[in-house]
Amino acid sequence: MKKLLISLTAAGILAGCSASDSGNGQEGPPETEVKTEEDPVTTDYLQERFYEGMDYDAYAVEIQTWVDKGQASISDTVKIEGQEDVSADIIQVADGFLAVANDSKEITFIKPFASPEDAKEYLKKNL
């Protein structure tokens, strides 16, 4: 009898684990790829990884990982006047700058720029 109860309990636990992994329909953030000097983080690469509607927390974790590894840097963060929750990071990577705007919940805008000044000017006029 004890063996039967142990078997049923183990089966229930395994079924519960499987259901919680696939049953919610949500995927976690993609694993952050380690880039090299021969294959650096670029604006095109980031535009493939980040998208409008992406969860802000997932974005923040991913960009911080690249910053910590020295593969990207946030050269500036622009606050938008009159829009308290809206800001944009200007990210510097190997081939330029990428502006990534958010409303503190999700990514709302992504655009590459040649310089941080171009990005700031565009963001202040258009967001």
Side-chain angles (χ1 to χ4, degrees), residues 68-94:
D68 291 347
K69 293 177 182 176
Q71 297 174 325
S73 65
I74 298 176
S75 67
D76 204 351
T77 299
V78 177
K79 298 283 187 184
I80 307 303
E81 286 186 42
Q83 298 182 45
E84 188 175 308
D85 292 336
V86 177
S87 66
D89 292 329
I90 300 173
I91 303 165
Q92 182 176 5
V93 292

mmCIF file with all atom_site columns, all heavy atoms in Angstrom, residues 68-94:
data_model
loop_
_atom_site.group_PDB
_atom_site.id
_atom_site.type_symbol
_atom_site.label_atom_id
_atom_site.label_alt_id
_atom_site.label_comp_id
_atom_site.label_asym_id
_atom_site.label_entity_id
_atom_site.label_seq_id
_atom_site.pdbx_PDB_ins_code
_atom_site.Cartn_x
_atom_site.Cartn_y
_atom_site.Cartn_z
_atom_site.occupancy
_atom_site.B_iso_or_equiv
_atom_site.pdbx_formal_charge
_atom_site.auth_seq_id
_atom_site.auth_comp_id
_atom_site.auth_asym_id
_atom_site.auth_atom_id
_atom_site.pdbx_PDB_model_num
ATOM 1   N N   . ASP A 1 68 ? 26.997 44.305 -18.490 1.00 0.00 ? 68 ASP A N   1
ATOM 2   C CA  . ASP A 1 68 ? 27.905 43.679 -17.534 1.00 0.00 ? 68 ASP A CA  1
ATOM 3   C C   . ASP A 1 68 ? 29.066 42.962 -18.228 1.00 0.00 ? 68 ASP A C   1
ATOM 4   O O   . ASP A 1 68 ? 30.165 42.890 -17.690 1.00 0.00 ? 68 ASP A O   1
ATOM 5   C CB  . ASP A 1 68 ? 27.161 42.684 -16.639 1.00 0.00 ? 68 ASP A CB  1
ATOM 6   C CG  . ASP A 1 68 ? 26.207 43.363 -15.674 1.00 0.00 ? 68 ASP A CG  1
ATOM 7   O OD1 . ASP A 1 68 ? 26.286 44.607 -15.505 1.00 0.00 ? 68 ASP A OD1 1
ATOM 8   O OD2 . ASP A 1 68 ? 25.347 42.653 -15.108 1.00 0.00 ? 68 ASP A OD2 1
ATOM 9   N N   . LYS A 1 69 ? 28.820 42.431 -19.414 1.00 0.00 ? 69 LYS A N   1
ATOM 10  C CA  . LYS A 1 69 ? 29.855 41.718 -20.170 1.00 0.00 ? 69 LYS A CA  1
ATOM 11  C C   . LYS A 1 69 ? 30.686 42.656 -21.032 1.00 0.00 ? 69 LYS A C   1
ATOM 12  O O   . LYS A 1 69 ? 31.595 42.213 -21.728 1.00 0.00 ? 69 LYS A O   1
ATOM 13  C CB  . LYS A 1 69 ? 29.207 40.652 -21.058 1.00 0.00 ? 69 LYS A CB  1
ATOM 14  C CG  . LYS A 1 69 ? 28.573 39.531 -20.264 1.00 0.00 ? 69 LYS A CG  1
ATOM 15  C CD  . LYS A 1 69 ? 27.880 38.550 -21.176 1.00 0.00 ? 69 LYS A CD  1
ATOM 16  C CE  . LYS A 1 69 ? 27.215 37.455 -20.350 1.00 0.00 ? 69 LYS A CE  1
ATOM 17  N NZ  . LYS A 1 69 ? 26.459 36.533 -21.190 1.00 0.00 ? 69 LYS A NZ  1
ATOM 18  N N   . GLY A 1 70 ? 30.360 43.947 -21.019 1.00 0.00 ? 70 GLY A N   1
ATOM 19  C CA  . GLY A 1 70 ? 31.112 44.912 -21.805 1.00 0.00 ? 70 GLY A CA  1
ATOM 20  C C   . GLY A 1 70 ? 30.795 44.865 -23.294 1.00 0.00 ? 70 GLY A C   1
ATOM 21  O O   . GLY A 1 70 ? 31.551 45.373 -24.114 1.00 0.00 ? 70 GLY A O   1
ATOM 22  N N   . GLN A 1 71 ? 29.650 44.287 -23.659 1.00 0.00 ? 71 GLN A N   1
ATOM 23  C CA  . GLN A 1 71 ? 29.286 44.147 -25.067 1.00 0.00 ? 71 GLN A CA  1
ATOM 24  C C   . GLN A 1 71 ? 28.338 45.243 -25.535 1.00 0.00 ? 71 GLN A C   1
ATOM 25  O O   . GLN A 1 71 ? 28.039 45.340 -26.710 1.00 0.00 ? 71 GLN A O   1
ATOM 26  C CB  . GLN A 1 71 ? 28.666 42.763 -25.298 1.00 0.00 ? 71 GLN A CB  1
ATOM 27  C CG  . GLN A 1 71 ? 29.664 41.662 -25.000 1.00 0.00 ? 71 GLN A CG  1
ATOM 28  C CD  . GLN A 1 71 ? 29.036 40.296 -25.075 1.00 0.00 ? 71 GLN A CD  1
ATOM 29  O OE1 . GLN A 1 71 ? 27.873 40.098 -24.731 1.00 0.00 ? 71 GLN A OE1 1
ATOM 30  N NE2 . GLN A 1 71 ? 29.806 39.337 -25.525 1.00 0.00 ? 71 GLN A NE2 1
ATOM 31  N N   . ALA A 1 72 ? 27.866 46.061 -24.606 1.00 0.00 ? 72 ALA A N   1
ATOM 32  C CA  . ALA A 1 72 ? 26.983 47.190 -24.917 1.00 0.00 ? 72 ALA A CA  1
ATOM 33  C C   . ALA A 1 72 ? 27.080 48.163 -23.751 1.00 0.00 ? 72 ALA A C   1
ATOM 34  O O   . ALA A 1 72 ? 27.533 47.792 -22.665 1.00 0.00 ? 72 ALA A O   1
ATOM 35  C CB  . ALA A 1 72 ? 25.541 46.721 -25.091 1.00 0.00 ? 72 ALA A CB  1
ATOM 36  N N   . SER A 1 73 ? 26.682 49.403 -23.999 1.00 0.00 ? 73 SER A N   1
ATOM 37  C CA  . SER A 1 73 ? 26.606 50.361 -22.901 1.00 0.00 ? 73 SER A CA  1
ATOM 38  C C   . SER A 1 73 ? 25.416 51.280 -23.136 1.00 0.00 ? 73 SER A C   1
ATOM 39  O O   . SER A 1 73 ? 25.031 51.539 -24.275 1.00 0.00 ? 73 SER A O   1
ATOM 40  C CB  . SER A 1 73 ? 27.895 51.181 -22.787 1.00 0.00 ? 73 SER A CB  1
ATOM 41  O OG  . SER A 1 73 ? 28.070 51.986 -23.919 1.00 0.00 ? 73 SER A OG  1
ATOM 42  N N   . ILE A 1 74 ? 24.831 51.738 -22.055 1.00 0.00 ? 74 ILE A N   1
ATOM 43  C CA  . ILE A 1 74 ? 23.733 52.691 -22.159 1.00 0.00 ? 74 ILE A CA  1
ATOM 44  C C   . ILE A 1 74 ? 24.374 54.068 -22.073 1.00 0.00 ? 74 ILE A C   1
ATOM 45  O O   . ILE A 1 74 ? 24.822 54.486 -21.008 1.00 0.00 ? 74 ILE A O   1
ATOM 46  C CB  . ILE A 1 74 ? 22.676 52.470 -21.066 1.00 0.00 ? 74 ILE A CB  1
ATOM 47  C CG1 . ILE A 1 74 ? 22.071 51.088 -21.230 1.00 0.00 ? 74 ILE A CG1 1
ATOM 48  C CG2 . ILE A 1 74 ? 21.604 53.556 -21.140 1.00 0.00 ? 74 ILE A CG2 1
ATOM 49  C CD1 . ILE A 1 74 ? 21.082 50.684 -20.175 1.00 0.00 ? 74 ILE A CD1 1
ATOM 50  N N   . SER A 1 75 ? 24.447 54.755 -23.224 1.00 0.00 ? 75 SER A N   1
ATOM 51  C CA  . SER A 1 75 ? 25.142 56.039 -23.256 1.00 0.00 ? 75 SER A CA  1
ATOM 52  C C   . SER A 1 75 ? 24.302 57.161 -22.653 1.00 0.00 ? 75 SER A C   1
ATOM 53  O O   . SER A 1 75 ? 24.848 58.147 -22.175 1.00 0.00 ? 75 SER A O   1
ATOM 54  C CB  . SER A 1 75 ? 25.577 56.399 -24.671 1.00 0.00 ? 75 SER A CB  1
ATOM 55  O OG  . SER A 1 75 ? 24.475 56.645 -25.495 1.00 0.00 ? 75 SER A OG  1
ATOM 56  N N   . ASP A 1 76 ? 22.971 56.992 -22.661 1.00 0.00 ? 76 ASP A N   1
ATOM 57  C CA  . ASP A 1 76 ? 22.104 58.015 -22.078 1.00 0.00 ? 76 ASP A CA  1
ATOM 58  C C   . ASP A 1 76 ? 20.696 57.447 -21.933 1.00 0.00 ? 76 ASP A C   1
ATOM 59  O O   . ASP A 1 76 ? 20.322 56.500 -22.625 1.00 0.00 ? 76 ASP A O   1
ATOM 60  C CB  . ASP A 1 76 ? 22.059 59.250 -22.976 1.00 0.00 ? 76 ASP A CB  1
ATOM 61  C CG  . ASP A 1 76 ? 21.684 60.522 -22.220 1.00 0.00 ? 76 ASP A CG  1
ATOM 62  O OD1 . ASP A 1 76 ? 21.298 60.434 -21.037 1.00 0.00 ? 76 ASP A OD1 1
ATOM 63  O OD2 . ASP A 1 76 ? 21.779 61.598 -22.818 1.00 0.00 ? 76 ASP A OD2 1
ATOM 64  N N   . THR A 1 77 ? 19.935 58.024 -21.031 1.00 0.00 ? 77 THR A N   1
ATOM 65  C CA  . THR A 1 77 ? 18.515 57.722 -20.898 1.00 0.00 ? 77 THR A CA  1
ATOM 66  C C   . THR A 1 77 ? 17.773 59.041 -21.010 1.00 0.00 ? 77 THR A C   1
ATOM 67  O O   . THR A 1 77 ? 18.065 59.980 -20.279 1.00 0.00 ? 77 THR A O   1
ATOM 68  C CB  . THR A 1 77 ? 18.204 57.030 -19.566 1.00 0.00 ? 77 THR A CB  1
ATOM 69  O OG1 . THR A 1 77 ? 18.918 55.794 -19.509 1.00 0.00 ? 77 THR A OG1 1
ATOM 70  C CG2 . THR A 1 77 ? 16.717 56.756 -19.423 1.00 0.00 ? 77 THR A CG2 1
ATOM 71  N N   . VAL A 1 78 ? 16.843 59.105 -21.946 1.00 0.00 ? 78 VAL A N   1
ATOM 72  C CA  . VAL A 1 78 ? 16.095 60.331 -22.225 1.00 0.00 ? 78 VAL A CA  1
ATOM 73  C C   . VAL A 1 78 ? 14.716 60.213 -21.597 1.00 0.00 ? 78 VAL A C   1
ATOM 74  O O   . VAL A 1 78 ? 13.996 59.245 -21.846 1.00 0.00 ? 78 VAL A O   1
ATOM 75  C CB  . VAL A 1 78 ? 15.972 60.552 -23.757 1.00 0.00 ? 78 VAL A CB  1
ATOM 76  C CG1 . VAL A 1 78 ? 15.140 61.782 -24.053 1.00 0.00 ? 78 VAL A CG1 1
ATOM 77  C CG2 . VAL A 1 78 ? 17.345 60.637 -24.398 1.00 0.00 ? 78 VAL A CG2 1
ATOM 78  N N   . LYS A 1 79 ? 14.354 61.187 -20.775 1.00 0.00 ? 79 LYS A N   1
ATOM 79  C CA  . LYS A 1 79 ? 13.007 61.272 -20.209 1.00 0.00 ? 79 LYS A CA  1
ATOM 80  C C   . LYS A 1 79 ? 12.188 62.181 -21.115 1.00 0.00 ? 79 LYS A C   1
ATOM 81  O O   . LYS A 1 79 ? 12.667 63.223 -21.558 1.00 0.00 ? 79 LYS A O   1
ATOM 82  C CB  . LYS A 1 79 ? 13.044 61.864 -18.796 1.00 0.00 ? 79 LYS A CB  1
ATOM 83  C CG  . LYS A 1 79 ? 13.827 61.040 -17.819 1.00 0.00 ? 79 LYS A CG  1
ATOM 84  C CD  . LYS A 1 79 ? 13.042 59.848 -17.385 1.00 0.00 ? 79 LYS A CD  1
ATOM 85  C CE  . LYS A 1 79 ? 13.784 59.126 -16.268 1.00 0.00 ? 79 LYS A CE  1
ATOM 86  N NZ  . LYS A 1 79 ? 13.124 57.908 -15.877 1.00 0.00 ? 79 LYS A NZ  1
ATOM 87  N N   . ILE A 1 80 ? 10.967 61.789 -21.385 1.00 0.00 ? 80 ILE A N   1
ATOM 88  C CA  . ILE A 1 80 ? 10.102 62.545 -22.280 1.00 0.00 ? 80 ILE A CA  1
ATOM 89  C C   . ILE A 1 80 ? 9.221  63.481 -21.450 1.00 0.00 ? 80 ILE A C   1
ATOM 90  O O   . ILE A 1 80 ? 8.485  63.030 -20.572 1.00 0.00 ? 80 ILE A O   1
ATOM 91  C CB  . ILE A 1 80 ? 9.241  61.597 -23.146 1.00 0.00 ? 80 ILE A CB  1
ATOM 92  C CG1 . ILE A 1 80 ? 10.130 60.562 -23.860 1.00 0.00 ? 80 ILE A CG1 1
ATOM 93  C CG2 . ILE A 1 80 ? 8.399  62.382 -24.120 1.00 0.00 ? 80 ILE A CG2 1
ATOM 94  C CD1 . ILE A 1 80 ? 11.225 61.135 -24.729 1.00 0.00 ? 80 ILE A CD1 1
ATOM 95  N N   . GLU A 1 81 ? 9.310  64.789 -21.754 1.00 0.00 ? 81 GLU A N   1
ATOM 96  C CA  . GLU A 1 81 ? 8.524  65.780 -21.013 1.00 0.00 ? 81 GLU A CA  1
ATOM 97  C C   . GLU A 1 81 ? 7.027  65.527 -21.180 1.00 0.00 ? 81 GLU A C   1
ATOM 98  O O   . GLU A 1 81 ? 6.555  65.222 -22.274 1.00 0.00 ? 81 GLU A O   1
ATOM 99  C CB  . GLU A 1 81 ? 8.850  67.184 -21.517 1.00 0.00 ? 81 GLU A CB  1
ATOM 100 C CG  . GLU A 1 81 ? 10.201 67.687 -21.061 1.00 0.00 ? 81 GLU A CG  1
ATOM 101 C CD  . GLU A 1 81 ? 10.429 69.125 -21.465 1.00 0.00 ? 81 GLU A CD  1
ATOM 102 O OE1 . GLU A 1 81 ? 9.493  69.943 -21.354 1.00 0.00 ? 81 GLU A OE1 1
ATOM 103 O OE2 . GLU A 1 81 ? 11.557 69.417 -21.891 1.00 0.00 ? 81 GLU A OE2 1
ATOM 104 N N   . GLY A 1 82 ? 6.300  65.655 -20.081 1.00 0.00 ? 82 GLY A N   1
ATOM 105 C CA  . GLY A 1 82 ? 4.854  65.498 -20.111 1.00 0.00 ? 82 GLY A CA  1
ATOM 106 C C   . GLY A 1 82 ? 4.390  64.050 -20.117 1.00 0.00 ? 82 GLY A C   1
ATOM 107 O O   . GLY A 1 82 ? 3.202  63.788 -20.103 1.00 0.00 ? 82 GLY A O   1
ATOM 108 N N   . GLN A 1 83 ? 5.321  63.107 -20.154 1.00 0.00 ? 83 GLN A N   1
ATOM 109 C CA  . GLN A 1 83 ? 4.968  61.687 -20.134 1.00 0.00 ? 83 GLN A CA  1
ATOM 110 C C   . GLN A 1 83 ? 5.799  61.024 -19.036 1.00 0.00 ? 83 GLN A C   1
ATOM 111 O O   . GLN A 1 83 ? 6.897  60.535 -19.285 1.00 0.00 ? 83 GLN A O   1
ATOM 112 C CB  . GLN A 1 83 ? 5.249  61.045 -21.494 1.00 0.00 ? 83 GLN A CB  1
ATOM 113 C CG  . GLN A 1 83 ? 4.436  61.651 -22.619 1.00 0.00 ? 83 GLN A CG  1
ATOM 114 C CD  . GLN A 1 83 ? 4.703  60.957 -23.937 1.00 0.00 ? 83 GLN A CD  1
ATOM 115 O OE1 . GLN A 1 83 ? 4.741  59.731 -23.997 1.00 0.00 ? 83 GLN A OE1 1
ATOM 116 N NE2 . GLN A 1 83 ? 4.891  61.731 -24.987 1.00 0.00 ? 83 GLN A NE2 1
ATOM 117 N N   . GLU A 1 84 ? 5.257  61.022 -17.852 1.00 0.00 ? 84 GLU A N   1
ATOM 118 C CA  . GLU A 1 84 ? 5.986  60.622 -16.656 1.00 0.00 ? 84 GLU A CA  1
ATOM 119 C C   . GLU A 1 84 ? 6.616  59.237 -16.747 1.00 0.00 ? 84 GLU A C   1
ATOM 120 O O   . GLU A 1 84 ? 7.747  59.044 -16.310 1.00 0.00 ? 84 GLU A O   1
ATOM 121 C CB  . GLU A 1 84 ? 5.030  60.674 -15.458 1.00 0.00 ? 84 GLU A CB  1
ATOM 122 C CG  . GLU A 1 84 ? 5.707  60.464 -14.134 1.00 0.00 ? 84 GLU A CG  1
ATOM 123 C CD  . GLU A 1 84 ? 4.734  60.658 -12.994 1.00 0.00 ? 84 GLU A CD  1
ATOM 124 O OE1 . GLU A 1 84 ? 4.064  61.702 -12.953 1.00 0.00 ? 84 GLU A OE1 1
ATOM 125 O OE2 . GLU A 1 84 ? 4.653  59.754 -12.157 1.00 0.00 ? 84 GLU A OE2 1
ATOM 126 N N   . ASP A 1 85 ? 5.922  58.250 -17.308 1.00 0.00 ? 85 ASP A N   1
ATOM 127 C CA  . ASP A 1 85 ? 6.420  56.877 -17.337 1.00 0.00 ? 85 ASP A CA  1
ATOM 128 C C   . ASP A 1 85 ? 7.232  56.547 -18.587 1.00 0.00 ? 85 ASP A C   1
ATOM 129 O O   . ASP A 1 85 ? 7.739  55.437 -18.703 1.00 0.00 ? 85 ASP A O   1
ATOM 130 C CB  . ASP A 1 85 ? 5.257  55.888 -17.231 1.00 0.00 ? 85 ASP A CB  1
ATOM 131 C CG  . ASP A 1 85 ? 4.582  55.939 -15.864 1.00 0.00 ? 85 ASP A CG  1
ATOM 132 O OD1 . ASP A 1 85 ? 5.250  56.363 -14.901 1.00 0.00 ? 85 ASP A OD1 1
ATOM 133 O OD2 . ASP A 1 85 ? 3.412  55.572 -15.772 1.00 0.00 ? 85 ASP A OD2 1
ATOM 134 N N   . VAL A 1 86 ? 7.354  57.471 -19.518 1.00 0.00 ? 86 VAL A N   1
ATOM 135 C CA  . VAL A 1 86 ? 8.030  57.192 -20.780 1.00 0.00 ? 86 VAL A CA  1
ATOM 136 C C   . VAL A 1 86 ? 9.486  57.640 -20.711 1.00 0.00 ? 86 VAL A C   1
ATOM 137 O O   . VAL A 1 86 ? 9.787  58.761 -20.314 1.00 0.00 ? 86 VAL A O   1
ATOM 138 C CB  . VAL A 1 86 ? 7.316  57.880 -21.966 1.00 0.00 ? 86 VAL A CB  1
ATOM 139 C CG1 . VAL A 1 86 ? 8.058  57.648 -23.268 1.00 0.00 ? 86 VAL A CG1 1
ATOM 140 C CG2 . VAL A 1 86 ? 5.880  57.382 -22.074 1.00 0.00 ? 86 VAL A CG2 1
ATOM 141 N N   . SER A 1 87 ? 10.383 56.732 -21.101 1.00 0.00 ? 87 SER A N   1
ATOM 142 C CA  . SER A 1 87 ? 11.799 57.064 -21.212 1.00 0.00 ? 87 SER A CA  1
ATOM 143 C C   . SER A 1 87 ? 12.392 56.225 -22.335 1.00 0.00 ? 87 SER A C   1
ATOM 144 O O   . SER A 1 87 ? 11.769 55.282 -22.817 1.00 0.00 ? 87 SER A O   1
ATOM 145 C CB  . SER A 1 87 ? 12.534 56.801 -19.894 1.00 0.00 ? 87 SER A CB  1
ATOM 146 O OG  . SER A 1 87 ? 12.558 55.422 -19.606 1.00 0.00 ? 87 SER A OG  1
ATOM 147 N N   . ALA A 1 88 ? 13.591 56.585 -22.752 1.00 0.00 ? 88 ALA A N   1
ATOM 148 C CA  . ALA A 1 88 ? 14.266 55.847 -23.815 1.00 0.00 ? 88 ALA A CA  1
ATOM 149 C C   . ALA A 1 88 ? 15.735 55.698 -23.476 1.00 0.00 ? 88 ALA A C   1
ATOM 150 O O   . ALA A 1 88 ? 16.393 56.665 -23.106 1.00 0.00 ? 88 ALA A O   1
ATOM 151 C CB  . ALA A 1 88 ? 14.094 56.559 -25.147 1.00 0.00 ? 88 ALA A CB  1
ATOM 152 N N   . ASP A 1 89 ? 16.240 54.478 -23.594 1.00 0.00 ? 89 ASP A N   1
ATOM 153 C CA  . ASP A 1 89 ? 17.663 54.222 -23.435 1.00 0.00 ? 89 ASP A CA  1
ATOM 154 C C   . ASP A 1 89 ? 18.322 54.384 -24.791 1.00 0.00 ? 89 ASP A C   1
ATOM 155 O O   . ASP A 1 89 ? 17.782 53.929 -25.810 1.00 0.00 ? 89 ASP A O   1
ATOM 156 C CB  . ASP A 1 89 ? 17.916 52.792 -22.949 1.00 0.00 ? 89 ASP A CB  1
ATOM 157 C CG  . ASP A 1 89 ? 17.430 52.563 -21.531 1.00 0.00 ? 89 ASP A CG  1
ATOM 158 O OD1 . ASP A 1 89 ? 17.450 53.524 -20.736 1.00 0.00 ? 89 ASP A OD1 1
ATOM 159 O OD2 . ASP A 1 89 ? 17.058 51.417 -21.222 1.00 0.00 ? 89 ASP A OD2 1
ATOM 160 N N   . ILE A 1 90 ? 19.484 54.998 -24.811 1.00 0.00 ? 90 ILE A N   1
ATOM 161 C CA  . ILE A 1 90 ? 20.281 55.063 -26.029 1.00 0.00 ? 90 ILE A CA  1
ATOM 162 C C   . ILE A 1 90 ? 21.448 54.108 -25.787 1.00 0.00 ? 90 ILE A C   1
ATOM 163 O O   . ILE A 1 90 ? 22.310 54.362 -24.945 1.00 0.00 ? 90 ILE A O   1
ATOM 164 C CB  . ILE A 1 90 ? 20.771 56.494 -26.323 1.00 0.00 ? 90 ILE A CB  1
ATOM 165 C CG1 . ILE A 1 90 ? 19.556 57.408 -26.488 1.00 0.00 ? 90 ILE A CG1 1
ATOM 166 C CG2 . ILE A 1 90 ? 21.648 56.504 -27.565 1.00 0.00 ? 90 ILE A CG2 1
ATOM 167 C CD1 . ILE A 1 90 ? 19.896 58.878 -26.614 1.00 0.00 ? 90 ILE A CD1 1
ATOM 168 N N   . ILE A 1 91 ? 21.423 53.003 -26.506 1.00 0.00 ? 91 ILE A N   1
ATOM 169 C CA  . ILE A 1 91 ? 22.365 51.917 -26.286 1.00 0.00 ? 91 ILE A CA  1
ATOM 170 C C   . ILE A 1 91 ? 23.471 51.985 -27.334 1.00 0.00 ? 91 ILE A C   1
ATOM 171 O O   . ILE A 1 91 ? 23.183 52.039 -28.534 1.00 0.00 ? 91 ILE A O   1
ATOM 172 C CB  . ILE A 1 91 ? 21.650 50.556 -26.388 1.00 0.00 ? 91 ILE A CB  1
ATOM 173 C CG1 . ILE A 1 91 ? 20.500 50.494 -25.377 1.00 0.00 ? 91 ILE A CG1 1
ATOM 174 C CG2 . ILE A 1 91 ? 22.634 49.413 -26.173 1.00 0.00 ? 91 ILE A CG2 1
ATOM 175 C CD1 . ILE A 1 91 ? 19.528 49.373 -25.632 1.00 0.00 ? 91 ILE A CD1 1
ATOM 176 N N   . GLN A 1 92 ? 24.715 51.967 -26.885 1.00 0.00 ? 92 GLN A N   1
ATOM 177 C CA  . GLN A 1 92 ? 25.846 51.950 -27.803 1.00 0.00 ? 92 GLN A CA  1
ATOM 178 C C   . GLN A 1 92 ? 26.339 50.520 -27.950 1.00 0.00 ? 92 GLN A C   1
ATOM 179 O O   . GLN A 1 92 ? 26.580 49.826 -26.964 1.00 0.00 ? 92 GLN A O   1
ATOM 180 C CB  . GLN A 1 92 ? 26.988 52.830 -27.293 1.00 0.00 ? 92 GLN A CB  1
ATOM 181 C CG  . GLN A 1 92 ? 28.150 52.866 -28.254 1.00 0.00 ? 92 GLN A CG  1
ATOM 182 C CD  . GLN A 1 92 ? 29.249 53.814 -27.810 1.00 0.00 ? 92 GLN A CD  1
ATOM 183 O OE1 . GLN A 1 92 ? 29.199 54.383 -26.727 1.00 0.00 ? 92 GLN A OE1 1
ATOM 184 N NE2 . GLN A 1 92 ? 30.237 53.993 -28.653 1.00 0.00 ? 92 GLN A NE2 1
ATOM 185 N N   . VAL A 1 93 ? 26.455 50.089 -29.213 1.00 0.00 ? 93 VAL A N   1
ATOM 186 C CA  . VAL A 1 93 ? 27.008 48.776 -29.528 1.00 0.00 ? 93 VAL A CA  1
ATOM 187 C C   . VAL A 1 93 ? 28.099 48.957 -30.587 1.00 0.00 ? 93 VAL A C   1
ATOM 188 O O   . VAL A 1 93 ? 28.446 50.088 -30.938 1.00 0.00 ? 93 VAL A O   1
ATOM 189 C CB  . VAL A 1 93 ? 25.911 47.791 -29.996 1.00 0.00 ? 93 VAL A CB  1
ATOM 190 C CG1 . VAL A 1 93 ? 24.971 47.455 -28.843 1.00 0.00 ? 93 VAL A CG1 1
ATOM 191 C CG2 . VAL A 1 93 ? 25.120 48.340 -31.159 1.00 0.00 ? 93 VAL A CG2 1
ATOM 192 N N   . ALA A 1 94 ? 28.606 47.868 -31.119 1.00 0.00 ? 94 ALA A N   1
ATOM 193 C CA  . ALA A 1 94 ? 29.767 47.903 -32.001 1.00 0.00 ? 94 ALA A CA  1
ATOM 194 C C   . ALA A 1 94 ? 29.602 48.805 -33.222 1.00 0.00 ? 94 ALA A C   1
ATOM 195 O O   . ALA A 1 94 ? 30.550 49.455 -33.637 1.00 0.00 ? 94 ALA A O   1
ATOM 196 C CB  . ALA A 1 94 ? 30.121 46.491 -32.449 1.00 0.00 ? 94 ALA A CB  1
#
